[in-house]
Amino acid sequence: MRLALPPWAGALAVKAAAFITVMCCALAALLGVLVHVSVTNQTVGQARDQALSRLADATQAYEAGDTLLPGAGVDPGGLPAPLRALAANGRRGTMVATYRGRPTMWAAGPVAGRRALAVEVDYSQQSRTIAALDQSILWSSGLAIGATVLVGVFAVTRVTRRLHGTARVARRISAGDLDARVNDPRTKDPTRPQDEVAAVAAALDSMASSLQGKLLSEQRFTADVAHELRTPLTGLHAAAELLPPGRPTELVRDRVAALRTLTEDLLEISRLDTGRERLEVDTEELGALAGRVVRASGTETEVRILRDARVETDRRRLERVLGNLVANAHKHGAPPVVLTVDGAVVTVRDHGGGYPEYLVAHGPQRFRTEGGAKGHGLGLTIALGQAEVLGARLSFADAADGGAVATLTLPVAE
């Protein structure tokens, strides 16, 4: 079972928190070891000096034949064996060992007959001091690590929240919301420090503004061109109707009709680009609507109703989508063309060479065709735009056994 993280706690926040924690632990361990070693050396040194001083006094008393003070003796029973051996070899030394249940600092030196004169100094207080120091180091290190991690996580999460906000705005822009902006306060106030996140936010806002300006300019240009073409095309169509019958006249009328269709498509695309289309929703029988579309197309298209459904939709726009899909299948594919209704899902399939790779990967693009196909790529672009207005999902794929498949998934009427 994976631990669920809050939305702002992405990989960067987790890695930063882990890095801060590891560095704090390493620093606390290093400082703790240094303090422990320094204090321990100082404490042991003081106890050793005290033991050696008492050993010197005991040695003088022993050589003078005086009675030894308590805690001093020749070859005492609790003397550690290594220290006893050291004294038997004619050398002096100290050693901490447990004697009678408590820590004891021993000091021993040689006396006549390869024997050891030793003194004991109670080391309990020093041992408790070192243990208390170690405990204090652990507690203070834990508190310091916790406080540092909290402060570090707070600082990192502020950055990650800003990054996530910038990412959300970028996704909104990619989804078509060109008015979305980050509006980071740091980019508005030059007196505030400008960090890297603010620079990214400013660059994204600048890119969005530039992109919006270019797209709006393109939309206005497309709409203006289409509107301006309407008037001369209307006159050209009227003039073509006055020409005498014949092959040249048919060619002229055919080209005029193609120009009028292209103009109307451009106008429809410009309306879709503005995002101001309004639905006229009604409940429709999907099977009957698909049959009307096929009959109106005048094509040899097979209609299969696997499972009929009632959908709430704009009939005119849905007919436009299905009509464009059927027309594209006949124009760029190969028969047989089959329109299938399966509940709220409608598929249009042909048995030609399939869609171009760019179309399957990125969707239809206006004024782009490949493989010598004729057309302007507007039919599928309009179908996709109208499907979005309907709240439907239109996808394009190639069938495993050949042919192109367009799938339209509509919202079901409740």
Side-chain angles (χ1 to χ4, degrees):
M1 181 178 179
R2 297 183 63 183
L3 179 64
L5 297 175
W8 48 264
L12 179 60
V14 174
K15 291 178 181 177
F19 175 76
I20 293 172
T21 303
V22 171
M23 292 303 296
C24 288
C25 291
L27 181 60
L30 177 62
L31 292 177
V33 169
L34 292 177
V35 172
H36 172 83
V37 170
S38 176
V39 173
T40 300
N41 288 340
Q42 182 179 359
T43 304
V44 172
Q46 291 175 352
R48 181 183 292 114
D49 292 341
Q50 181 183 0
L52 290 175
S53 176
R54 292 186 61 181
L55 177 63
D57 294 340
T59 301
Q60 290 178 0
Y62 180 81
E63 292 176 349
D66 297 336
T67 303
L68 297 178
L69 296 175
V74 178
D75 290 332
L79 183 64
L83 196 57
R84 188 187 301 273
L86 184 68
N89 291 328
R91 300 169 61 188
R92 302 173 67 187
T94 61
M95 184 176 179
V96 177
T98 301
Y99 179 58
R100 294 177 180 174
R102 69 178 188 275
T104 302
M105 172 67 75
W106 288 94
V111 291
R114 296 180 60 84
R115 302 174 70 187
L117 176 62
V119 297
E120 58 177 277
V121 176
D122 187 7
Y123 193 70
S124 301
Q125 181 62 38
Q126 293 87 338
S127 179
R128 287 194 294 269
T129 300
I130 295 174
L133 174 66
D134 292 341
Q135 188 174 13
S136 299
I137 291 174
L138 289 177
W139 277 104
S140 60
S141 297
L143 291 175
I145 291 172
T148 306
V149 169
L150 288 177
V151 173
V153 169
F154 174 74
V156 171
T157 52
R158 290 190 64 187
V159 174
T160 55
R161 283 195 186 99
R162 293 169 60 199
L163 288 174
H164 277 281
T166 303
R168 284 195 299 271
V169 171
R171 286 191 290 268
R172 288 173 56 191
I173 294 173
S174 64
D177 183 7
L178 298 181
D179 292 324
R181 297 292 185 274
V182 179
N183 290 325
D184 193 312
R186 290 169 178 77
T187 62
K188 307 296 182 182
D189 187 0
T191 61
R192 300 183 65 177
Q194 303 295 308
D195 56 9
E196 290 78 3
V197 180
V200 172
L204 181 62
D205 287 348
S206 176
M207 181 199 70
S209 298
S210 176
L211 180 62
Q212 185 179 36
K214 291 179 180 179
L215 289 178
L216 290 176
S217 177
E218 179 186 342
Q219 292 171 6
R220 285 194 298 268
F221 175 77
T222 301
D224 291 344
V225 168
H227 279 291
E228 292 299 325
L229 285 175
R230 262 184 158 181
T231 301
L233 279 176
T234 301
L236 188 60
H237 176 73
E241 294 297 326
L242 299 177
L243 294 175
R247 181 60 180 165
T249 299
E250 293 178 1
L251 292 176
V252 170
R253 291 175 179 174
D254 179 69
R255 292 300 87 197
V256 170
L259 280 174
R260 293 187 68 180
T261 301
L262 176 60
T263 302
E264 295 300 326
D265 287 347
L266 288 174
L267 283 173
E268 186 169 359
I269 287 177
S270 67
R271 289 193 297 269
L272 291 172
D273 286 341
T274 59
R276 298 175 182 174
E277 295 288 270
R278 295 292 179 266
L279 293 176
E280 297 179 4
V281 179
D282 198 1
T283 303
E284 299 286 340
E285 294 285 348
L286 196 52
L289 187 144
R292 291 197 303 270
V293 169
V294 170
R295 288 192 297 271
S297 69
T299 59
E300 294 293 332
T301 302
E302 179 185 354
V303 179
R304 297 177 183 173
I305 310 296
L306 302 181
R307 183 166 51 92
D308 206 351
R310 294 177 63 83
V311 294
E312 290 184 354
T313 187
D314 187 320
R315 179 182 56 80
R316 180 185 65 83
R317 297 183 190 279
L318 181 55
E319 289 178 348
R320 177 68 159 153
V321 173
L322 296 181
N324 281 16
L325 294 178
V326 170
N328 184 82
H330 282 281
K331 185 174 183 180
H332 301 291
V337 176
V338 182
L339 187 153
T340 304
V341 177
D342 186 4
V345 180
V346 182
T347 58
V348 178
R349 178 187 175 179
D350 63 59
H351 290 75
Y355 290 120
E357 291 184 4
Y358 81 89
L359 194 148
V360 175
H362 306 290
Q365 300 176 21
R366 63 191 70 173
F367 300 107
R368 177 174 178 178
T369 55
E370 291 185 359
K374 297 181 179 180
H376 304 282
L378 299 181
L380 294 182
T381 302
I382 292 173
L384 184 61
Q386 293 289 13
E388 292 177 353
V389 175
L390 292 172
R393 185 175 71 255
L394 179 59
S395 59
F396 304 92
D398 290 334
D401 55 348
V405 182
T407 304
L408 178 69
T409 305
L410 294 161
V412 183
E414 297 182 356

